[in-house]
Amino acid sequence: MEQAYQFLMENVNFKYGDTVVAAISGGPDSMALLHLLSRVKDAFELTIVCAHVNHNVRKESSEEAVFVNNFCRNNGILFEYMKIEDYGDDNFHNEARTKRYHYFEEIVKKYHAKFLFTAHHGDDLIETILMRIVRGSTLRGYSGFSYLVEMGDYTILRPLIGVTKEEILEYDKKYKIPFVKDASNDKDVYTRNRFRKYVVPALKKEDKNVHHKFYKFSRTLLEYNDYIDKQVEKIMPKIYVQNELDIDAFLKLDHVIAMKVIYYILEHVYQDDLMLITDHHAELIFGLITSKRANAYIYLPNHLKAVKAYDKLTFVHDEEKGGSYEIELIQYMNLPNGKNIEVVSKSSKDDNFVCRLCASEVAFPLHVRNRMNGDKIYVKGLLGSKKISDIFIDEKIPMNERELWPVVVDSKGTIVWLPGLKKSKFDKTKDEKYDIILKYY
């Protein structure tokens, strides 16, 4: 932690009287960061603004806001607060992150601050890189995140990127820094938690300083990505103009550059929502471009549609919420058919609109997609499997609804639930062991 303190003192271009914003949740990481900034405060006569977000998904959230506010009041730190009132995105964590960073930017602009500090640390970087390797991403996505991001009018800094979680907790103990604990961080339902609890400790047994290796890996990928980006930027004005990709010109590119062009477009289209995009989406787009069909389209996360019309490809936001899709199920998602699937803590129902699963029997993360040719499900209570298409016929589902009907699969592609219609052999009764409940409504 002292290296983080030295970084703040010696490598950050503070000017006397500067105002800085710190994103503080109240957890051990962010409170350690706030303490570090407090130590630097007097040396540069800084004004520190604490930006706290109440995500409004746990009953303890309001108490945590009071806790952080009291700490700021007792330590001469300005306190700013925002409560997220509602969610409506395909990906709860993604929407929360987007709203959070939009709010942070508002606070930065309000106080004309030069820096926004976040408490991301070395273990966070390991988890992020591993998660993206497992689920697929862009070259930049595989790098995780950088310690410094230039945002134009201000800079995002992550001074704890070289510090482990263990070092942060030792620092909190040494300086008797109070913090709150988010119980949801212990639940295996969330992908990051499983990496945090099981994978990262195994890596640290091999090398306690493995976080430095991941940081070097991250920097190397960013350097390569920046170089390739420069090459792609030279050709983009020639093949991608006013949100239209020239397919004829695209097909003349080397495959590596062609795929990078797709990733480049996706990175610019999704920006802060990049976690929604995997290599699977890039392959879908490449397949759309190279298909023999003159007019076709596919659906992407956040209701974005890639549309092919003869020799042009465009990306548009779709209001109808339909088509081909596959989205990771984290907490809550709004489906293209207008329905919703949500991870809930309890349910008294036991019909086909509720599914109970045991995490040890399915491969996480779960995904929700529309049907594919040949899809089969091992229906609960029946021997063998049954085609999804036959179930639609048996249940008299209209043709126009079948293509949008959600199918829940695990990371191996096994169908674990056909919401509203059939449970699979993986479904548990209320009396059996389960640790995740899904609700379709």
Side-chain angles (χ1 to χ4, degrees):
M1 284 295 289
E2 290 308 310
Q3 68 180 18
Y5 173 73
Q6 291 301 321
F7 170 82
L8 291 172
M9 291 294 294
E10 300 172 6
N11 298 102
V12 179
N13 188 28
F14 287 130
K15 297 291 189 299
Y16 285 94
D18 273 351
T19 296
V20 302
V21 176
I24 305 299
S25 67
D29 312 333
S30 63
M31 293 304 291
L33 171 64
L34 195 56
H35 185 271
L36 277 176
L37 290 172
S38 297
R39 290 172 60 188
V40 176
K41 175 184 173 185
D42 291 339
F44 293 96
E45 297 182 6
L46 300 178
T47 296
I48 301 175
V49 181
C50 165
H52 177 80
V53 175
N54 177 351
H55 291 94
N56 198 25
V57 293
R58 295 179 295 111
K59 62 181 180 180
E60 300 88 357
S61 296
S62 296
E63 297 173 0
E64 291 166 1
V66 173
F67 163 78
V68 176
N69 189 10
N70 288 337
F71 182 90
C72 291
R73 187 185 306 114
N74 295 332
N75 290 274
I77 299 169
L78 297 177
F79 178 77
E80 290 282 352
Y81 169 82
M82 192 236 344
K83 180 178 180 180
I84 300 177
E85 296 295 344
D86 54 65
Y87 297 89
D89 206 346
D90 293 333
N91 185 313
F92 161 74
H93 284 176
N94 167 70
E95 184 174 7
R97 183 187 186 281
T98 300
K99 290 186 175 182
R100 188 166 64 242
Y101 272 86
H102 285 169
Y103 168 68
F104 293 154
E105 184 165 336
E106 289 177 7
I107 299 303
V108 166
K109 291 180 178 179
K110 175 180 177 179
Y111 287 92
H112 305 288
K114 292 184 178 180
F115 301 103
L116 168 65
F117 289 92
T118 72
H120 294 91
H121 51 75
D123 288 8
D124 289 330
L125 182 62
I126 296 175
E127 294 161 12
T128 301
I129 291 174
L130 290 175
M131 287 169 60
R132 293 183 181 176
I133 289 175
V134 169
R135 73 191 297 269
S137 185
T138 66
L139 186 61
R140 183 166 70 89
Y142 287 131
S143 70
F145 51 79
S146 175
Y147 84 95
L148 180 151
V149 181
E150 293 291 351
M151 300 297 290
D153 296 333
Y154 67 99
T155 302
I156 298 177
L157 283 176
R158 301 178 175 110
L160 306 186
I161 199 169
V163 181
T164 65
K165 181 75 170 188
E166 183 179 3
E167 290 173 313
I168 290 174
L169 292 174
E170 289 175 355
Y171 181 85
D172 287 334
K173 182 177 180 180
K174 176 182 178 181
Y175 288 96
K176 297 182 173 58
I177 302 170
F179 59 82
V180 295
K181 185 176 181 181
D182 183 349
S184 67
N185 288 334
D186 296 325
K187 295 181 179 180
D188 285 358
V189 170
Y190 302 112
T191 304
R192 182 176 292 275
N193 292 354
R194 296 194 296 277
F195 277 94
R196 179 178 298 148
K197 292 171 63 177
Y198 307 115
V199 182
V200 174
L203 292 174
K204 288 189 175 184
K205 285 183 179 180
E206 298 295 325
D207 183 351
K208 67 177 182 179
N209 292 316
V210 70
H211 60 291
H212 294 310
K213 309 291 178 58
F214 272 80
Y215 181 53
K216 182 179 180 180
F217 173 77
S218 173
R219 290 177 60 186
T220 300
L221 285 189
L222 285 172
E223 289 175 0
Y224 278 89
N225 182 74
D226 289 346
Y227 174 79
I228 297 175
D229 271 353
K230 290 177 182 177
Q231 309 310 311
V232 172
E233 285 173 359
K234 294 177 182 178
I235 65 173
M236 289 304 290
K238 302 175 183 178
I239 65 173
Y240 187 67
V241 181
Q242 295 183 340
N243 194 38
E244 285 190 344
L245 178 68
D246 185 329
I247 292 179
D248 291 337
F250 175 88
L251 294 175
K252 296 176 182 178
L253 300 174
D254 181 88
H255 181 72
V256 172
I257 298 298
M259 292 304 296
K260 186 56 181 167
V261 165
I262 294 176
Y263 287 129
Y264 185 93
I265 295 173
L266 289 175
E267 287 172 0
H268 282 74
V269 170
Y270 280 90
Q271 298 183 18
D272 288 342
D273 298 342
L274 198 58
M275 273 293 288
L276 290 176
I277 295 300
T278 70
D279 49 3
H280 173 67
H281 298 112
E283 291 166 2
L284 283 175
I285 294 171
F286 185 80
L288 174 66
I289 294 172
T290 57
S291 70
K292 295 181 179 180
R293 299 176 63 184
N295 295 278
Y297 58 85
I298 60 171
Y299 280 81
L300 300 167
N302 274 11
H303 314 310
L304 191 72
K305 182 164 64 174
V307 181
K308 177 183 180 182
Y310 298 103
D311 61 346
K312 301 294 182 183
L313 182 80
T314 57
F315 293 84
V316 298
H317 284 281
D318 183 73
E319 301 300 329
E320 296 180 0
K321 303 181 182 180
S324 177
Y325 64 93
E326 180 172 348
I327 307 169
E328 182 178 347
L329 174 58
I330 297 181
Q331 181 70 32
Y332 167 86
M333 63 185 298
N334 176 242
L335 299 166
N337 67 349
K339 301 288 187 178
N340 307 285
I341 291 182
E342 183 177 0
V343 178
V344 296
S345 59
K346 61 182 179 179
S347 176
S348 60
K349 296 184 177 180
D350 202 20
D351 55 20
N352 289 324
F353 290 84
V354 172
C355 175
R356 295 176 174 83
L357 299 171
C358 180
S360 63
E361 296 182 7
V362 296
F364 283 88
L366 301 178
H367 285 76
V368 182
R369 61 168 172 78
N370 55 343
R371 68 165 179 164
M372 295 181 177
N373 291 333
D375 269 349
K376 295 180 180 179
I377 181 175
Y378 286 89
V379 180
K380 185 174 184 178
L382 295 181
L383 294 176
S385 60
K386 188 166 184 176
K387 290 182 178 180
I388 297 296
S389 57
D390 290 340
I391 294 175
F392 285 153
I393 294 173
D394 294 343
E395 299 293 330
K396 296 181 173 57
I397 303 300
M399 288 295 296
N400 64 329
E401 295 182 17
R402 296 180 188 181
E403 293 304 316
L404 301 183
W405 204 278
V407 179
V408 180
V409 299
D410 69 3
S411 62
K412 294 181 179 179
T414 303
I415 297 176
V416 299
W417 186 31
L418 189 59
L421 296 179
K422 293 292 180 183
K423 296 173 179 286
S424 76
K425 66 179 182 179
F426 298 100
D427 180 78
K428 303 297 181 183
T429 65
K430 289 185 285 187
D431 298 327
E432 293 179 298
K433 179 184 176 183
Y434 59 87
D435 43 25
I436 181 172
I437 306 174
L438 304 178
K439 180 182 177 182
Y440 177 64
Y441 59 97

